[in-house]
Amino acid sequence: MTNSIAEIRDTDCIFITGSNTAEAHPVISYEVIRAVNEGAHLIIVDPRKIPLIEHATLFLQVKPGTDIYVFLAIMHTIIRDGLADEAFITERTEGFEEFKATLEEYTPERASLMSGVSVEQIEEAARIYAQGKRKSGPSIYDSRHGHSSILYAMGITQRSNGTDMVMTLANLAMLCGQVGKPSTGVNPLRGQSNVQGACDTGCLVNVYPGYQKVGDETKRKTIAKTWGVDELPGEVGLTIVEAMHAAVDGDVRAVYVMGENPMMSDPNTSHVEKALRNLDFLVVQDIFPSETALLAHLILPAAASLEKDGTFTNTERRVQLIQPIIEAPGDALPDWQITGGIAARYDREMGVERDKEHWIFPSTQEIFQELTTVTPIYAGMKHERLVGEGLQWPCPEPDHSGTPILHKGKFSRGLGKFNPVLANDPAEQPDEEYPLILSTGRVLYHYHTGTMTRRSGPLAWAEPRGYVEIHPEDAAAVDVLDDRAVVINSRRGSVKTRAKITENVPQGTIFLAFHWREAPANMLTQDFALDPVAKIPEYKVCAVRLENPRAKRKKPELVKQA
Ligand SMILES: Nc1nc2c(c(=O)[nH]1)N[C@H]1C(S)=C(S)[C@@H](COP(=O)(O)OP(=O)(O)OC[C@H]3O[C@@H](n4cnc5c(=O)[nH]c(N)nc54)[C@H](O)[C@@H]3O)O[C@H]1N2
Ligand SMILES: Nc1nc2c(c(=O)[nH]1)N[C@H]1C(S)=C(S)[C@@H](COP(=O)(O)OP(=O)(O)OC[C@H]3O[C@@H](n4cnc5c(=O)[nH]c(N)nc54)[C@H](O)[C@@H]3O)O[C@H]1N2
Ligand SMILES: [Mo]
């Protein structure tokens, strides 16, 4: 997030898109509702009637994958109606003229045709967001503009044009000067407790810790020196989906899976299975025996988050200490001790002398200390400074108090760059054979592949088994009944589950969460079209067909006995 969670409550206009905030980020959704109750406007752009629309002033129900036309038309309207923040554009940004020219063709009328949202709603959304208008009550900010904040999540990023979508929202915020101030900004709501920390510390294929590009020779040399090695690899690695393709081709021979369950979470499960079975060596390090662990040559038992210490970095870049509150069972060890143990063993085999030969590092405190020496955004932190509230990065010096708001006064690259974006449609479009769009995601009561939440009795009571949401018209077309079996087919595979007939999904779109091992959504999703930059698969759109399993069964014929 460019801004902080607590600022949401003071926002004048909240613009949410591609985020089912109430179910996937319930705590943050309380802040949203609090702001609305105080008079803030809430605009939601989403294909589904998600719970938070109850609180929204405007709900723009787009067809999946067509929101890009709506965003471009919102910006078209803002420029057309003179609502752009010209002072901000002149002082803080570059590339505006070129960007502006690309917007000309994206009229609200065209967006309406593509997305199904009315022209009036698009124009109203543009006015409210640009001016940071409130429904009622005074703004706590007394500047010329009210403060508008954008929240987004996977609905816009898990797309073959995900990077374009994020740049589009950044363009929108810059166009209206809604960035670098409290209660504004472009705020991705991150998924796991520590996915932010994992990225910060370099668990990505193209960067070293602190987002230092692997291709940057100077930075690479500095890190290598600190780590006491001659050189570090300078090539970008393979992302998950690319690695699976490479495994099928025999170019990747061994995989070490740590805290992931790709047999359920990666697109096109049949292909993933083929990839994993083709490996010479598969290691799975997990807290439970997952679907992926079933295929492993070696399973390493890890301790769970409540059983270990270290730090978690949350979605607002806040680095916080975690403490073990229960003991790990059996032989389970914290992940850092398992990988550290393997590294130490490797060193010993290679004849390297070490004082602490067990885990390379004696404690998480020392790992963190070492991390701060190669990670400029963490450089001013140490465990003692994180007690209590923690610190938000960048925190470059020992006496720096952290950064709740990014891009204040200046962007990290200096001037904010407008990146012209053209609309692109999802890679797989519905057709005669597969006439519906499948959208996948989450429900409140379960977490991802269910390794953890589907072991819980109370959660099973709330949400015991899989189902697919189908619009009444689409259900009627294939004679599928509510709460009865339905088969979903895509070009990759088939899944049988229970139908939930509801108008929460628009006609032409069905929704299936990927929590259910008895109805795994990723049997259906596609892995051929990735975002060209982020390489994320298009989990939010693929083409499917529904089938009524009862229709297949022939009526038993009465055989007359002579
Ligand atoms: N209960 C629960 N909470 C979770 C998780 C969980 O598994 N369960 N997982 C966590 C993780 S890792 C993550 S990444 C987050 C994900 O959090 P979200 O991204 O909020 O979760 P999703 O269910 O993937 O929903 C994405 C939203 O995008 C919408 N959407 C689909 N297609 C489109 C489109 O074309 N355009 C737009 N604008 N919107 C679209 C969907 O209707 C949905 O409302 O949740 C985190 N929180
Ligand atoms: N169709 C579809 N697929 C999707 C998505 C979607 O919206 N639709 N969303 C995608 C997104 S955003 C995400 S984040 C991924 C999630 O995909 P995964 O990360 O593969 O899913 P999880 O079920 O969270 O798997 C985490 C694994 O880590 C284990 N684990 C938990 N704690 C620890 C620990 O401390 N140490 C170790 N070693 N293991 C631990 C759990 O038991 C589990 O097996 O799914 C992606 N896949
Ligand atoms: Mo995620």
Side-chain angles (χ1 to χ4, degrees), residues 159-178:
R159 306 260 298 274
S160 52
N161 60 343
T163 305
D164 277 357
M165 299 292 293
V166 174
M167 290 199 299
T168 299
L169 296 181
N171 288 340
L172 173 61
M174 289 197 298
L175 182 64
C176 303
Q178 297 289 8

Side-chain angles (χ1 to χ4, degrees), residues 437-454:
I437 292 176
L438 167 71
S439 179
T440 63
R442 301 149 170 85
V443 302
L444 177 65
Y445 291 103
H446 286 291
Y447 192 75
H448 296 165
T449 69
T451 58
M452 297 176 280
T453 50
R454 293 203 82 194

